[in-house]
Amino acid sequence: MPECWDGVGKGSAGAMILLGGPGQQCPGEHDIETPYGLLHVVIRGSPKGNRPAILTYHDVGLNHKLCFNTFFNFEDMQEITKHFVVCHVDAPGQQVGASQFPQGYQFPSMEQLAAMLPSVVQHFGFKYVIGIGVGAGAYVLAKFALIFPDLVEGLVLMNIDPNGKGWIDWAATKLSGLTSTLPDTVLSHLFSQEELVNNTELVQSYRQQIGNVVNQANLQLFWNMYNSRRDLDINRPGTVPNAKTLRCPVMLVVGDNAPAEDGVVECNSKLDPTTTTFLKMADSGGLPQVTQPGKLTEAFKYFLQGMGYMPSASMTRLARSRTASLTSASSVDGSRPQACTHSESSEGLGQVNHTMEVSC
């Protein structure tokens, strides 16, 4: 087996867990120079005309493999990825086999992490991207869209928390760090208490991977920076003067048993309801892209069709099962022009502006 093998194995509930160890750089891997240091990027596929790239950003404690392998290796996702080039971004020093940062290294702030991404877009000649972020990665992509709105056509934000930590939360995090190992501290961010107790196979798989695959010193720097983040400066249009908001279509995703649920609900309350879809996924915890890749794939295809892409693709089982109830809801307007102007076609299912709880 080659050392750069992008391998996976089965975990709880059929979830696929990364098994491969660190190795040499593989085809499609790039180290991109940015104003705030090198950024490790992995490209899958090739650009498809004027279509945007799908750009991913992982959560703290993970890297693109641990966070997204299950989702992008899922069979039904292949119908989507054949239409788009995929660009996986690893936060500085979080990729497999990363060297430890030198003593005194200053990890980029969350704003600086967002400001590194235009260098990636420019390097590969992308005109704009559709971002998929989880947790800390969702925060970074939201910042990116706020600062560089012309580069972002759409966002899928999982487990996003728009709030900075207050003093009480900060103190609790510091105390937890003194009494727990770093992998266990990160696990409490990724999984709910119920999952930590009941889904032991999946949790143990991630405990081992976080401890063995991600450089612990580098992870500590990323963890510290994420926990010192500021509030995401967004407000629903019309609620405050000169309110800042995300101008592109957004799909918010959270499991119904996820530690980030309150944060995602609050984020939904701060976004434009005419361009935002909120998916609360039943029977899903802190990592819906790992435990429910099928449902998430269906929702993502529906989201892309609403933006005017893949109009000829087969309607998914999720979309079919929801069509009647969604069409009858007053919040659905299938003929409404999309908010973003980059799409190559205005055909599709129309952007949905409602809360959709996925329970199938």
Side-chain angles (χ1 to χ4, degrees), residues 34-166:
T34 81
Y36 302 101
L38 288 176
L39 204 54
H40 182 259
V41 176
V42 176
I43 296 292
R44 296 285 183 252
S46 57
K48 307 296 191 294
N50 291 324
R51 292 194 174 193
I54 294 175
L55 185 146
T56 75
Y57 212 113
H58 59 87
D59 203 352
V60 66
L62 308 176
N63 50 45
H64 84 272
K65 292 184 177 182
L66 282 170
C67 195
F68 292 111
N69 261 15
T70 302
F71 184 45
F72 280 89
N73 287 340
F74 189 73
E75 182 179 1
D76 289 353
M77 266 297 287
Q78 309 316 304
E79 184 181 6
I80 294 174
T81 54
K82 71 182 181 183
H83 293 282
F84 300 89
V85 61
V86 179
C87 177
H88 295 296
V89 176
D90 286 317
Q94 311 304 301
Q95 70 270 22
V96 175
S99 300
Q100 184 168 318
F101 289 125
Q103 188 72 23
Y105 170 81
Q106 180 60 48
F107 196 86
S109 68
M110 302 303 287
E111 290 77 11
Q112 290 170 337
L113 291 176
M116 298 171 85
L117 295 178
S119 298
V120 176
V121 175
Q122 181 179 17
H123 180 88
F124 295 107
F126 303 146
K127 291 187 176 180
Y128 29 80
V129 302
I130 296 172
I132 304 179
V134 181
Y139 183 100
V140 170
L141 289 183
K143 271 287 184 187
F144 174 50
L146 287 170
I147 302 170
F148 306 98
D150 291 339
L151 296 181
V152 183
E153 183 165 5
L155 288 174
V156 177
L157 304 176
M158 290 180 263
N159 299 337
I160 187 171
D161 187 344
N163 301 317
K165 287 212 167 188

Side-chain angles (χ1 to χ4, degrees), residues 216-257:
Q216 297 299 282
N218 296 354
L219 169 55
Q220 185 70 65
L221 294 175
F222 189 17
W223 177 250
N224 292 345
M225 189 57 68
Y226 177 63
N227 284 312
S228 62
R229 69 189 181 279
R230 300 176 180 177
D231 287 353
L232 198 61
D233 187 18
I234 54 174
N235 287 283
R236 179 163 289 184
T239 58
V240 298
N242 302 315
K244 294 181 181 179
T245 191
L246 297 173
R247 287 164 38 185
C248 61
V250 178
M251 181 167 72
L252 298 175
V253 181
V254 69
D256 64 354
N257 182 30

Side-chain angles (χ1 to χ4, degrees), residues 288-303:
Q289 78 278 16
V290 172
T291 58
Q292 297 285 0
K295 293 179 183 178
L296 187 58
T297 297
E298 293 181 8
F300 185 43
K301 185 190 294 186
Y302 190 32
F303 180 69

Side-chain angles (χ1 to χ4, degrees), residues 185-199:
T185 301
V186 171
L187 286 171
S188 66
H189 161 76
L190 298 175
F191 299 101
S192 67
Q193 287 301 312
E194 182 178 336
E195 288 180 290
L196 292 173
V197 172
N198 296 328
N199 203 348

